[in-house]
Amino acid sequence: SEASRINSILRCPMSHRTLAKLTSADVATYRDERLKSVAPATVVRELTTVSHAIEIATREWGLWLPRNPVKLVRRPQVPRGRTRRLKAGEEARLLAACDSGRTPLMKPLIILAIETAMRRGEMLDLHWKHVDLVRCVAHLPLTKNGDSRDIPLSRRAVTVLKQLMADKDQDADRVFPVTPNSVRLCFEHLRVRAGMDDFHFHDLRHEGSSRLFERGLNIAEVSAISGHRELKMLMRYTHLRAVDLVSRLG
């Protein structure tokens, strides 16, 4: 993802400026042009990348600048993250819609997303050699944050993975040998069949993270499973339903 971000930056006119000639006006123009085609959060990440590169150049490479021009520019306002969760009966409708689809891997992919709170990319990169169904642990050697992570597997997740293992090709290395684009297209059709037009695949990660809290896990434990580094980001995913917490209050 970082390489893709850098390649996008390199295609913009700002990248042809030398550091000595780079101004805050150049950065602001870059920001405004990018906002026409990508989300504010994407622009914020790109500006952070450019700013970090300049900091490395000045602190470690000996290139002198009076100030970092990126830090003089206002960052776009990022809208509040989604808090969409599965409503009563929606999970059953979503899984039932999978049965009438053409991609049999969608159903286990959705169940695993709910049970583990893994990102789509992490599940698609998961290899069988990193799945231990005896210890009930899936190992992710490289995640979005650049760290490795071990995911504890629930009984439901283990059941799904055992079925996938029984049905897989003998030479298959990946648990889900499909591309991100095919998953995106399949899920678009799937949610329409299920009558859930306002539901995104990433909402499954939100649902999974919230259910971990509802099972009684604390913030540190959920963070270790989901891979969230920042408490603020984790709290955005933790949209607990009051009705589910009544029994715990006594």
Side-chain angles (χ1 to χ4, degrees):
S1 59
E2 187 175 43
S4 175
R5 188 179 311 132
I6 292 173
N7 286 332
S8 296
I9 296 170
L10 292 176
R11 289 193 292 268
C12 296
M14 182 182 67
S15 66
H16 299 290
R17 293 282 193 185
T18 63
L19 278 182
K21 293 184 178 181
L22 183 64
T23 67
S24 57
D26 295 323
V27 179
T29 299
Y30 169 83
R31 174 201 62 198
D32 296 340
E33 289 298 317
R34 289 293 286 159
L35 284 173
K36 295 177 182 178
S37 57
V38 298
T42 300
V43 177
V44 169
R45 286 192 290 267
E46 291 175 353
L47 291 177
T48 299
T49 298
V50 175
S51 180
H52 179 67
I54 293 174
E55 290 295 315
I56 293 296
T58 55
R59 294 181 182 181
E60 299 187 14
W61 300 347
L63 300 179
W64 184 84
L65 284 179
R67 55 192 175 183
N68 186 336
V70 180
K71 292 186 176 181
L72 301 177
V73 175
R74 288 184 296 106
R75 303 295 175 94
Q77 185 68 34
V78 178
R80 185 180 179 184
R82 288 171 58 84
T83 57
R84 176 71 159 88
R85 292 199 56 185
L86 289 169
K87 301 174 184 176
E90 285 189 331
E91 181 178 346
R93 280 162 44 198
L94 197 59
L95 296 179
C98 292
D99 295 332
S100 60
R102 299 180 180 179
T103 307
L105 290 177
M106 284 303 298
K107 188 171 186 177
L109 188 68
I110 289 172
I111 293 176
L112 200 65
I114 295 174
E115 291 296 311
T116 64
M118 280 196 286
R119 300 177 178 91
R120 182 188 66 178
E122 292 172 345
M123 290 187 290
L124 297 186
D125 287 338
L126 185 62
H127 285 64
W128 283 114
K129 64 181 179 181
H130 294 138
V131 177
D132 189 336
L133 295 180
V134 176
R135 295 173 55 239
C136 300
V137 172
H139 177 66
L140 302 176
L142 182 63
T143 67
K144 179 181 177 181
N145 294 330
D147 299 326
S148 61
R149 193 165 87 249
D150 288 330
I151 309 293
L153 302 172
S154 65
R155 286 192 294 269
R156 188 185 185 196
V158 169
T159 299
V160 167
L161 288 170
K162 284 182 177 180
Q163 186 60 52
L164 285 173
M165 180 173 285
D167 297 338
K168 78 179 183 71
D169 294 334
Q170 187 174 1
D171 299 327
D173 295 326
R174 291 163 53 210
V175 177
F176 296 99
V178 291
T179 65
N181 191 53
S182 65
V183 172
R184 180 183 63 82
L185 293 175
C186 286
F187 193 78
E188 289 293 323
H189 296 298
L190 180 64
R191 67 179 187 174
V192 172
R193 290 199 303 272
M196 299 167 57
D197 293 341
D198 64 332
F199 196 80
H200 301 170
F201 189 91
H202 196 71
D203 292 332
L204 296 170
R205 174 167 161 82
H206 175 106
E207 180 69 26
S209 298
S210 297
R211 290 189 184 187
L212 291 174
F213 276 95
E214 291 167 350
R215 289 175 177 174
L217 276 67
N218 60 41
I219 290 178
E221 292 168 333
V222 175
S223 177
I225 296 173
S226 66
H228 289 98
R229 283 183 173 179
E230 298 181 5
L231 175 61
K232 181 180 179 181
M233 179 66 73
L234 185 59
M235 293 303 294
R236 190 188 79 176
Y237 282 86
T238 312
H239 187 64
L240 304 181
R241 290 177 289 210
V243 67
D244 296 324
L245 298 177
V246 171
S247 61
R248 294 178 57 188
L249 292 176

mmCIF file of all heavy atoms in Angstrom, residues 37-77:
data_model
loop_
_atom_site.group_PDB
_atom_site.id
_atom_site.type_symbol
_atom_site.label_atom_id
_atom_site.label_comp_id
_atom_site.label_asym_id
_atom_site.label_seq_id
_atom_site.Cartn_x
_atom_site.Cartn_y
_atom_site.Cartn_z
ATOM 1 N N SER A 37 -10.230 13.655 -6.729
ATOM 2 C CA SER A 37 -10.315 12.270 -7.207
ATOM 3 C C SER A 37 -10.222 11.213 -6.109
ATOM 4 O O SER A 37 -10.585 10.055 -6.340
ATOM 5 C CB SER A 37 -9.220 12.005 -8.244
ATOM 6 O OG SER A 37 -7.933 12.282 -7.702
ATOM 7 N N VAL A 38 -9.727 11.575 -4.920
ATOM 8 C CA VAL A 38 -9.590 10.581 -3.847
ATOM 9 C C VAL A 38 -10.170 11.128 -2.550
ATOM 10 O O VAL A 38 -10.439 12.327 -2.431
ATOM 11 C CB VAL A 38 -8.110 10.171 -3.635
ATOM 12 C CG1 VAL A 38 -7.537 9.531 -4.876
ATOM 13 C CG2 VAL A 38 -7.274 11.386 -3.230
ATOM 14 N N ALA A 39 -10.328 10.263 -1.584
ATOM 15 C CA ALA A 39 -10.918 10.632 -0.299
ATOM 16 C C ALA A 39 -9.943 11.461 0.537
ATOM 17 O O ALA A 39 -8.725 11.340 0.378
ATOM 18 C CB ALA A 39 -11.323 9.379 0.465
ATOM 19 N N PRO A 40 -10.465 12.301 1.434
ATOM 20 C CA PRO A 40 -9.594 13.095 2.308
ATOM 21 C C PRO A 40 -8.588 12.263 3.091
ATOM 22 O O PRO A 40 -7.444 12.673 3.274
ATOM 23 C CB PRO A 40 -10.590 13.795 3.242
ATOM 24 C CG PRO A 40 -11.849 13.889 2.439
ATOM 25 C CD PRO A 40 -11.884 12.642 1.624
ATOM 26 N N ALA A 41 -9.009 11.096 3.560
ATOM 27 C CA ALA A 41 -8.098 10.245 4.332
ATOM 28 C C ALA A 41 -6.899 9.822 3.492
ATOM 29 O O ALA A 41 -5.777 9.709 4.003
ATOM 30 C CB ALA A 41 -8.843 9.014 4.845
ATOM 31 N N THR A 42 -7.128 9.585 2.197
ATOM 32 C CA THR A 42 -6.036 9.219 1.295
ATOM 33 C C THR A 42 -5.050 10.366 1.148
ATOM 34 O O THR A 42 -3.828 10.164 1.169
ATOM 35 C CB THR A 42 -6.588 8.824 -0.088
ATOM 36 O OG1 THR A 42 -7.469 7.715 0.060
ATOM 37 C CG2 THR A 42 -5.463 8.447 -1.041
ATOM 38 N N VAL A 43 -5.572 11.568 1.004
ATOM 39 C CA VAL A 43 -4.713 12.750 0.868
ATOM 40 C C VAL A 43 -3.894 12.959 2.137
ATOM 41 O O VAL A 43 -2.705 13.282 2.080
ATOM 42 C CB VAL A 43 -5.552 14.003 0.558
ATOM 43 C CG1 VAL A 43 -4.667 15.246 0.482
ATOM 44 C CG2 VAL A 43 -6.306 13.828 -0.758
ATOM 45 N N VAL A 44 -4.506 12.767 3.294
ATOM 46 C CA VAL A 44 -3.792 12.908 4.561
ATOM 47 C C VAL A 44 -2.630 11.923 4.626
ATOM 48 O O VAL A 44 -1.515 12.280 5.036
ATOM 49 C CB VAL A 44 -4.750 12.700 5.747
ATOM 50 C CG1 VAL A 44 -3.965 12.581 7.056
ATOM 51 C CG2 VAL A 44 -5.743 13.846 5.841
ATOM 52 N N ARG A 45 -2.865 10.676 4.218
ATOM 53 C CA ARG A 45 -1.798 9.678 4.246
ATOM 54 C C ARG A 45 -0.677 10.044 3.273
ATOM 55 O O ARG A 45 0.509 9.861 3.581
ATOM 56 C CB ARG A 45 -2.368 8.296 3.916
ATOM 57 C CG ARG A 45 -3.177 7.676 5.044
ATOM 58 C CD ARG A 45 -3.468 6.216 4.771
ATOM 59 N NE ARG A 45 -4.412 6.048 3.677
ATOM 60 C CZ ARG A 45 -5.721 5.944 3.830
ATOM 61 N NH1 ARG A 45 -6.246 6.024 5.052
ATOM 62 N NH2 ARG A 45 -6.521 5.773 2.796
ATOM 63 N N GLU A 46 -1.038 10.561 2.110
ATOM 64 C CA GLU A 46 -0.029 10.953 1.131
ATOM 65 C C GLU A 46 0.802 12.125 1.638
ATOM 66 O O GLU A 46 2.030 12.148 1.472
ATOM 67 C CB GLU A 46 -0.699 11.293 -0.197
ATOM 68 C CG GLU A 46 -1.302 10.088 -0.891
ATOM 69 C CD GLU A 46 -2.069 10.430 -2.151
ATOM 70 O OE1 GLU A 46 -2.254 11.638 -2.431
ATOM 71 O OE2 GLU A 46 -2.491 9.500 -2.856
ATOM 72 N N LEU A 47 0.165 13.113 2.240
ATOM 73 C CA LEU A 47 0.898 14.253 2.794
ATOM 74 C C LEU A 47 1.822 13.810 3.924
ATOM 75 O O LEU A 47 2.934 14.334 4.076
ATOM 76 C CB LEU A 47 -0.080 15.315 3.291
ATOM 77 C CG LEU A 47 -0.880 16.063 2.217
ATOM 78 C CD1 LEU A 47 -1.859 17.038 2.867
ATOM 79 C CD2 LEU A 47 0.042 16.805 1.254
ATOM 80 N N THR A 48 1.367 12.863 4.713
ATOM 81 C CA THR A 48 2.208 12.331 5.784
ATOM 82 C C THR A 48 3.443 11.658 5.220
ATOM 83 O O THR A 48 4.552 11.796 5.761
ATOM 84 C CB THR A 48 1.406 11.338 6.645
ATOM 85 O OG1 THR A 48 0.289 12.016 7.232
ATOM 86 C CG2 THR A 48 2.272 10.746 7.751
ATOM 87 N N THR A 49 3.283 10.930 4.118
ATOM 88 C CA THR A 49 4.415 10.265 3.472
ATOM 89 C C THR A 49 5.434 11.285 2.966
ATOM 90 O O THR A 49 6.642 11.125 3.162
ATOM 91 C CB THR A 49 3.924 9.390 2.299
ATOM 92 O OG1 THR A 49 3.053 8.382 2.808
ATOM 93 C CG2 THR A 49 5.086 8.735 1.578
ATOM 94 N N VAL A 50 4.937 12.326 2.298
ATOM 95 C CA VAL A 50 5.834 13.366 1.785
ATOM 96 C C VAL A 50 6.545 14.073 2.935
ATOM 97 O O VAL A 50 7.758 14.319 2.885
ATOM 98 C CB VAL A 50 5.045 14.391 0.936
ATOM 99 C CG1 VAL A 50 5.959 15.536 0.507
ATOM 100 C CG2 VAL A 50 4.453 13.720 -0.299
ATOM 101 N N SER A 51 5.800 14.397 3.974
ATOM 102 C CA SER A 51 6.380 15.083 5.122
ATOM 103 C C SER A 51 7.464 14.239 5.777
ATOM 104 O O SER A 51 8.525 14.737 6.160
ATOM 105 C CB SER A 51 5.279 15.413 6.140
ATOM 106 O OG SER A 51 5.817 16.082 7.261
ATOM 107 N N HIS A 52 7.204 12.944 5.898
ATOM 108 C CA HIS A 52 8.178 12.039 6.513
ATOM 109 C C HIS A 52 9.447 11.966 5.672
ATOM 110 O O HIS A 52 10.566 11.966 6.214
ATOM 111 C CB HIS A 52 7.564 10.651 6.679
ATOM 112 C CG HIS A 52 8.502 9.653 7.281
ATOM 113 N ND1 HIS A 52 8.954 9.746 8.578
ATOM 114 C CD2 HIS A 52 9.095 8.551 6.748
ATOM 115 C CE1 HIS A 52 9.779 8.732 8.828
ATOM 116 N NE2 HIS A 52 9.881 7.999 7.736
ATOM 117 N N ALA A 53 9.290 11.914 4.346
ATOM 118 C CA ALA A 53 10.461 11.875 3.460
ATOM 119 C C ALA A 53 11.324 13.120 3.629
ATOM 120 O O ALA A 53 12.563 13.050 3.655
ATOM 121 C CB ALA A 53 10.004 11.735 2.012
ATOM 122 N N ILE A 54 10.677 14.276 3.758
ATOM 123 C CA ILE A 54 11.410 15.531 3.945
ATOM 124 C C ILE A 54 12.130 15.543 5.291
ATOM 125 O O ILE A 54 13.279 16.003 5.401
ATOM 126 C CB ILE A 54 10.447 16.736 3.822
ATOM 127 C CG1 ILE A 54 9.926 16.840 2.385
ATOM 128 C CG2 ILE A 54 11.138 18.031 4.220
ATOM 129 C CD1 ILE A 54 8.872 17.905 2.175
ATOM 130 N N GLU A 55 11.471 15.013 6.327
ATOM 131 C CA GLU A 55 12.095 14.951 7.641
ATOM 132 C C GLU A 55 13.344 14.069 7.611
ATOM 133 O O GLU A 55 14.374 14.405 8.206
ATOM 134 C CB GLU A 55 11.102 14.406 8.676
ATOM 135 C CG GLU A 55 9.960 15.363 9.004
ATOM 136 C CD GLU A 55 10.446 16.625 9.671
ATOM 137 O OE1 GLU A 55 11.284 16.540 10.598
ATOM 138 O OE2 GLU A 55 10.000 17.718 9.262
ATOM 139 N N ILE A 56 13.271 12.950 6.921
ATOM 140 C CA ILE A 56 14.431 12.062 6.806
ATOM 141 C C ILE A 56 15.560 12.763 6.050
ATOM 142 O O ILE A 56 16.743 12.671 6.415
ATOM 143 C CB ILE A 56 14.046 10.753 6.088
ATOM 144 C CG1 ILE A 56 13.084 9.937 6.951
ATOM 145 C CG2 ILE A 56 15.295 9.920 5.766
ATOM 146 C CD1 ILE A 56 13.657 9.462 8.258
ATOM 147 N N ALA A 57 15.191 13.477 4.980
ATOM 148 C CA ALA A 57 16.196 14.176 4.168
ATOM 149 C C ALA A 57 16.938 15.233 4.977
ATOM 150 O O ALA A 57 18.158 15.400 4.832
ATOM 151 C CB ALA A 57 15.525 14.818 2.951
ATOM 152 N N THR A 58 16.215 15.937 5.835
ATOM 153 C CA THR A 58 16.845 17.012 6.597
ATOM 154 C C THR A 58 17.572 16.508 7.840
ATOM 155 O O THR A 58 18.625 17.025 8.209
ATOM 156 C CB THR A 58 15.793 18.063 7.010
ATOM 157 O OG1 THR A 58 14.726 17.417 7.734
ATOM 158 C CG2 THR A 58 15.218 18.748 5.774
ATOM 159 N N ARG A 59 17.050 15.495 8.490
ATOM 160 C CA ARG A 59 17.647 15.023 9.741
ATOM 161 C C ARG A 59 18.768 14.020 9.539
ATOM 162 O O ARG A 59 19.729 13.990 10.308
ATOM 163 C CB ARG A 59 16.556 14.402 10.626
ATOM 164 C CG ARG A 59 15.517 15.396 11.120
ATOM 165 C CD ARG A 59 14.492 14.709 12.009
ATOM 166 N NE ARG A 59 13.460 15.640 12.461
ATOM 167 C CZ ARG A 59 12.461 15.299 13.263
ATOM 168 N NH1 ARG A 59 12.364 14.046 13.702
ATOM 169 N NH2 ARG A 59 11.555 16.201 13.625
ATOM 170 N N GLU A 60 18.648 13.174 8.498
ATOM 171 C CA GLU A 60 19.603 12.085 8.345
ATOM 172 C C GLU A 60 20.482 12.200 7.106
ATOM 173 O O GLU A 60 21.555 11.598 7.055
ATOM 174 C CB GLU A 60 18.864 10.740 8.335
ATOM 175 C CG GLU A 60 18.091 10.472 9.623
ATOM 176 C CD GLU A 60 17.518 9.070 9.672
ATOM 177 O OE1 GLU A 60 17.926 8.235 8.848
ATOM 178 O OE2 GLU A 60 16.658 8.807 10.535
ATOM 179 N N TRP A 61 20.029 12.917 6.086
ATOM 180 C CA TRP A 61 20.807 13.019 4.853
ATOM 181 C C TRP A 61 21.565 14.336 4.742
ATOM 182 O O TRP A 61 22.276 14.562 3.767
ATOM 183 C CB TRP A 61 19.897 12.839 3.634
ATOM 184 C CG TRP A 61 19.201 11.513 3.605
ATOM 185 C CD1 TRP A 61 19.469 10.414 4.371
ATOM 186 C CD2 TRP A 61 18.106 11.152 2.756
ATOM 187 N NE1 TRP A 61 18.606 9.389 4.065
ATOM 188 C CE2 TRP A 61 17.759 9.816 3.074
ATOM 189 C CE3 TRP A 61 17.388 11.826 1.783
ATOM 190 C CZ2 TRP A 61 16.723 9.147 2.424
ATOM 191 C CZ3 TRP A 61 16.358 11.163 1.139
ATOM 192 C CH2 TRP A 61 16.034 9.830 1.457
ATOM 193 N N GLY A 62 21.385 15.221 5.695
ATOM 194 C CA GLY A 62 22.140 16.462 5.706
ATOM 195 C C GLY A 62 21.655 17.535 4.756
ATOM 196 O O GLY A 62 22.384 18.501 4.483
ATOM 197 N N LEU A 63 20.440 17.392 4.213
ATOM 198 C CA LEU A 63 19.891 18.430 3.328
ATOM 199 C C LEU A 63 19.206 19.482 4.189
ATOM 200 O O LEU A 63 18.330 19.166 4.990
ATOM 201 C CB LEU A 63 18.901 17.807 2.336
ATOM 202 C CG LEU A 63 19.478 16.733 1.410
ATOM 203 C CD1 LEU A 63 18.398 16.184 0.495
ATOM 204 C CD2 LEU A 63 20.616 17.301 0.567
ATOM 205 N N TRP A 64 19.593 20.729 3.994
ATOM 206 C CA TRP A 64 19.084 21.776 4.880
ATOM 207 C C TRP A 64 17.866 22.454 4.271
ATOM 208 O O TRP A 64 17.849 22.831 3.102
ATOM 209 C CB TRP A 64 20.158 22.829 5.133
ATOM 210 C CG TRP A 64 19.695 23.873 6.113
ATOM 211 C CD1 TRP A 64 19.735 23.796 7.465
ATOM 212 C CD2 TRP A 64 19.094 25.133 5.793
ATOM 213 N NE1 TRP A 64 19.198 24.926 8.036
ATOM 214 C CE2 TRP A 64 18.792 25.768 7.028
ATOM 215 C CE3 TRP A 64 18.773 25.781 4.601
ATOM 216 C CZ2 TRP A 64 18.205 27.023 7.108
ATOM 217 C CZ3 TRP A 64 18.170 27.025 4.667
ATOM 218 C CH2 TRP A 64 17.896 27.644 5.910
ATOM 219 N N LEU A 65 16.823 22.611 5.084
ATOM 220 C CA LEU A 65 15.643 23.393 4.738
ATOM 221 C C LEU A 65 15.259 24.233 5.953
ATOM 222 O O LEU A 65 15.334 23.732 7.091
ATOM 223 C CB LEU A 65 14.468 22.484 4.357
ATOM 224 C CG LEU A 65 14.465 21.821 2.981
ATOM 225 C CD1 LEU A 65 13.226 20.949 2.849
ATOM 226 C CD2 LEU A 65 14.486 22.860 1.873
ATOM 227 N N PRO A 66 14.827 25.455 5.757
ATOM 228 C CA PRO A 66 14.430 26.273 6.910
ATOM 229 C C PRO A 66 13.203 25.706 7.622
ATOM 230 O O PRO A 66 13.043 25.874 8.830
ATOM 231 C CB PRO A 66 14.157 27.644 6.299
ATOM 232 C CG PRO A 66 13.862 27.378 4.854
ATOM 233 C CD PRO A 66 14.722 26.209 4.488
ATOM 234 N N ARG A 67 12.329 25.031 6.863
ATOM 235 C CA ARG A 67 11.129 24.449 7.462
ATOM 236 C C ARG A 67 10.530 23.431 6.499
ATOM 237 O O ARG A 67 10.800 23.463 5.293
ATOM 238 C CB ARG A 67 10.104 25.531 7.789
ATOM 239 C CG ARG A 67 9.739 26.403 6.597
ATOM 240 C CD ARG A 67 8.952 27.622 7.027
ATOM 241 N NE ARG A 67 8.688 28.525 5.902
ATOM 242 C CZ ARG A 67 8.069 29.683 6.022
ATOM 243 N NH1 ARG A 67 7.636 30.079 7.201
ATOM 244 N NH2 ARG A 67 7.863 30.452 4.964
ATOM 245 N N ASN A 68 9.736 22.553 7.035
ATOM 246 C CA ASN A 68 9.062 21.535 6.228
ATOM 247 C C ASN A 68 7.790 22.151 5.645
ATOM 248 O O ASN A 68 6.848 22.440 6.388
ATOM 249 C CB ASN A 68 8.719 20.328 7.108
ATOM 250 C CG ASN A 68 8.154 19.163 6.326
ATOM 251 O OD1 ASN A 68 7.609 19.335 5.248
ATOM 252 N ND2 ASN A 68 8.270 17.966 6.879
ATOM 253 N N PRO A 69 7.720 22.363 4.313
ATOM 254 C CA PRO A 69 6.550 23.033 3.729
ATOM 255 C C PRO A 69 5.247 22.269 3.917
ATOM 256 O O PRO A 69 4.169 22.877 3.941
ATOM 257 C CB PRO A 69 6.912 23.164 2.248
ATOM 258 C CG PRO A 69 7.942 22.105 2.011
ATOM 259 C CD PRO A 69 8.709 21.992 3.289
ATOM 260 N N VAL A 70 5.308 20.947 4.078
ATOM 261 C CA VAL A 70 4.087 20.160 4.259
ATOM 262 C C VAL A 70 3.419 20.502 5.589
ATOM 263 O O VAL A 70 2.187 20.526 5.702
ATOM 264 C CB VAL A 70 4.385 18.657 4.172
ATOM 265 C CG1 VAL A 70 3.113 17.838 4.356
ATOM 266 C CG2 VAL A 70 5.034 18.312 2.844
ATOM 267 N N LYS A 71 4.227 20.813 6.593
ATOM 268 C CA LYS A 71 3.683 21.113 7.919
ATOM 269 C C LYS A 71 2.994 22.473 7.979
ATOM 270 O O LYS A 71 2.315 22.783 8.957
ATOM 271 C CB LYS A 71 4.789 21.041 8.957
ATOM 272 C CG LYS A 71 5.316 19.630 9.177
ATOM 273 C CD LYS A 71 6.309 19.566 10.310
ATOM 274 C CE LYS A 71 6.741 18.123 10.574
ATOM 275 N NZ LYS A 71 7.698 18.029 11.697
ATOM 276 N N LEU A 72 3.181 23.278 6.924
ATOM 277 C CA LEU A 72 2.543 24.591 6.884
ATOM 278 C C LEU A 72 1.154 24.544 6.248
ATOM 279 O O LEU A 72 0.430 25.536 6.270
ATOM 280 C CB LEU A 72 3.423 25.578 6.098
ATOM 281 C CG LEU A 72 4.846 25.797 6.625
ATOM 282 C CD1 LEU A 72 5.606 26.730 5.691
ATOM 283 C CD2 LEU A 72 4.812 26.374 8.032
ATOM 284 N N VAL A 73 0.814 23.397 5.696
ATOM 285 C CA VAL A 73 -0.438 23.261 4.935
ATOM 286 C C VAL A 73 -1.494 22.560 5.784
ATOM 287 O O VAL A 73 -1.206 21.577 6.473
ATOM 288 C CB VAL A 73 -0.189 22.481 3.627
ATOM 289 C CG1 VAL A 73 -1.490 22.234 2.881
ATOM 290 C CG2 VAL A 73 0.792 23.237 2.742
ATOM 291 N N ARG A 74 -2.708 23.050 5.731
ATOM 292 C CA ARG A 74 -3.809 22.420 6.457
ATOM 293 C C ARG A 74 -4.143 21.061 5.857
ATOM 294 O O ARG A 74 -4.230 20.917 4.640
ATOM 295 C CB ARG A 74 -5.058 23.304 6.426
ATOM 296 C CG ARG A 74 -4.976 24.551 7.289
ATOM 297 C CD ARG A 74 -6.289 25.334 7.284
ATOM 298 N NE ARG A 74 -6.601 25.843 5.958
ATOM 299 C CZ ARG A 74 -7.535 25.346 5.160
ATOM 300 N NH1 ARG A 74 -8.263 24.303 5.550
ATOM 301 N NH2 ARG A 74 -7.765 25.878 3.977
ATOM 302 N N ARG A 75 -4.315 20.090 6.696
ATOM 303 C CA ARG A 75 -4.721 18.756 6.250
ATOM 304 C C ARG A 75 -6.228 18.738 6.003
ATOM 305 O O ARG A 75 -6.977 19.424 6.720
ATOM 306 C CB ARG A 75 -4.362 17.690 7.291
ATOM 307 C CG ARG A 75 -2.870 17.650 7.661
ATOM 308 C CD ARG A 75 -2.015 17.233 6.484
ATOM 309 N NE ARG A 75 -0.599 17.305 6.781
ATOM 310 C CZ ARG A 75 0.131 16.279 7.217
ATOM 311 N NH1 ARG A 75 -0.446 15.101 7.427
ATOM 312 N NH2 ARG A 75 1.418 16.419 7.426
ATOM 313 N N PRO A 76 -6.688 17.988 5.029
ATOM 314 C CA PRO A 76 -8.142 17.881 4.795
ATOM 315 C C PRO A 76 -8.850 17.308 6.010
ATOM 316 O O PRO A 76 -8.282 16.494 6.743
ATOM 317 C CB PRO A 76 -8.240 16.928 3.593
ATOM 318 C CG PRO A 76 -6.888 16.934 2.970
ATOM 319 C CD PRO A 76 -5.912 17.187 4.069
ATOM 320 N N GLN A 77 -10.066 17.750 6.212
ATOM 321 C CA GLN A 77 -10.866 17.231 7.314
ATOM 322 C C GLN A 77 -11.370 15.836 6.952
ATOM 323 O O GLN A 77 -12.079 15.664 5.964
ATOM 324 C CB GLN A 77 -12.053 18.157 7.592
ATOM 325 C CG GLN A 77 -12.879 17.776 8.804
ATOM 326 C CD GLN A 77 -12.125 17.963 10.103
ATOM 327 O OE1 GLN A 77 -11.317 18.868 10.224
ATOM 328 N NE2 GLN A 77 -12.390 17.097 11.065
#
